[in-house]
Amino acid sequence: MKVYAISDLHLSINSPKPMDIFGEDWDDYVDTIVKNWTRKVKDDDIVLIAGDISWAMNLQDAKLDLDFISKLPGIKVIIKGNHDYWWHSVSALRSILPPNFYAIQNDAIKIGNVVICGSRGWIAPEDNKFKNEEDEKLYKREVIRMELSLQAATKLRCDGDELIVMTHYPPFNSRFQKSSMQELFEKYGANHIVYGHLHNASKKQKMKYSKHKIKYFLTSCDHLKHNPVRII
């Protein structure tokens, strides 16, 4: 079993959205995702999708995009992104997910010797300062949710298990300063962090980054050339 990741698919199967307006990296991107995905992922592999899955505004329309993903090989695990407006209730979402398709929201799952947890996250402060009170409020709330998820993961984790944390927003700021999120990852002994959210304006971002024996992976699909990256 291998573990791959790719995020920010921004699918719109029901009402195709011209993503090429965001740059040439998005030309025919859905076909490219399918080609790359099916070339490397096997049915017993895991594919992590760290948010911004569908442009849909309601669960019924998003189901078409989720069904599209479900037909691709692998066991899928998803978290919510800032554009996933259709994700209102995780229980409602789980009720319509196909087999081998899992949604995480402040909790955790274990597949083989891999424990996966996570939360959406929010914008990390620069020099310990937030842009506004709303950002500070949302960030602190997400820190609480992330710890709930890590606590759930700890209960599932056995000796030798790999712990992967998914978060949509980068867990650090533009200067890679240590954040409350990273303190949690270190406290609970995470091995790998998968995140997305960053696109064309952030080409200078590191695709892989290691700190305190934790490996961080930026998995936005345009950065990956729409090719799932292997995590484990």
Side-chain angles (χ1 to χ4, degrees):
M1 180 182 71
K2 301 183 180 74
V3 180
Y4 296 94
I6 184 168
S7 67
D8 299 83
L9 302 181
H10 291 289
L11 296 176
S12 185
I13 301 301
N14 185 44
S15 179
K17 181 170 179 151
M19 288 293 292
D20 55 0
I21 64 174
F22 299 108
E24 60 183 17
D25 288 342
W26 293 93
D27 289 343
D28 300 318
Y29 79 104
V30 175
D31 290 341
T32 304
I33 289 171
V34 172
K35 178 181 177 181
N36 290 327
W37 188 315
T38 55
R39 178 176 53 84
K40 61 169 49 172
V41 178
K42 308 302 181 185
D43 286 337
D44 60 348
D45 293 335
I46 299 171
V47 182
L48 310 175
I49 307 175
D52 280 6
I53 301 155
S54 169
W55 283 115
M57 298 300 291
N58 59 69
L59 185 58
Q60 182 178 357
D61 288 340
K63 187 177 185 303
L64 297 173
D65 296 323
L66 297 171
D67 288 344
F68 175 82
I69 296 170
S70 74
K71 294 175 183 177
L72 298 172
I75 303 164
K76 295 83 176 178
V77 183
I78 61 175
I79 62 168
K80 184 179 182 179
N82 63 304
H83 286 294
D84 291 319
Y85 303 114
W86 49 272
W87 187 320
H88 299 293
S89 162
V90 70
S91 57
L93 170 57
R94 287 170 176 164
S95 72
I96 59 95
L97 287 177
N100 291 327
F101 206 134
Y102 303 94
I104 290 178
Q105 184 169 300
N106 317 323
D107 52 9
I109 63 167
K110 181 174 179 176
I111 304 172
N113 66 339
V114 178
V115 179
I116 307 163
C117 67
S119 182
R120 181 191 63 178
W122 196 252
I123 304 166
E126 298 283 344
D127 296 318
N128 295 316
K129 295 180 181 179
F130 292 90
K131 289 184 178 180
N132 52 59
E133 291 183 1
E134 183 66 13
D135 277 346
E136 182 176 9
K137 176 183 175 182
L138 290 170
Y139 184 82
K140 290 181 175 180
R141 184 178 67 186
E142 286 297 317
V143 169
I144 293 171
R145 290 175 171 175
M146 182 63 77
E147 184 154 30
L148 289 172
S149 183
L150 285 161
Q151 289 171 348
T154 299
K155 293 178 181 178
L156 297 175
R157 193 179 189 184
C158 299
D159 289 344
D161 288 346
E162 295 282 320
L163 175 55
I164 303 177
V165 180
M166 300 170 67
T167 179
H168 180 65
Y169 282 87
F172 34 66
N173 61 28
S174 62
R175 296 169 59 188
F176 292 88
Q177 294 172 320
K178 193 169 186 177
S179 69
S180 299
M181 287 288 185
Q182 289 177 288
E183 289 175 355
L184 287 178
F185 302 155
E186 294 172 19
K187 175 182 176 181
Y188 288 90
N191 301 111
H192 313 276
I193 313 300
V194 171
Y195 67 98
H197 185 65
L198 302 177
H199 291 297
N200 295 331
S202 306
K203 288 294 186 181
K204 294 182 181 180
Q205 283 286 344
K206 299 176 182 178
M207 300 298 295
K208 295 181 182 180
Y209 173 72
S210 295
K211 190 170 184 178
H212 299 301
K213 298 181 180 180
I214 302 175
K215 296 179 180 178
Y216 295 80
F217 296 84
L218 171 57
T219 63
S220 303
C221 69
D222 52 327
H223 282 284
L224 298 179
K225 303 299 181 185
H226 314 294
N227 191 7
V229 61
R230 185 170 171 180
I231 307 300
I232 300 177

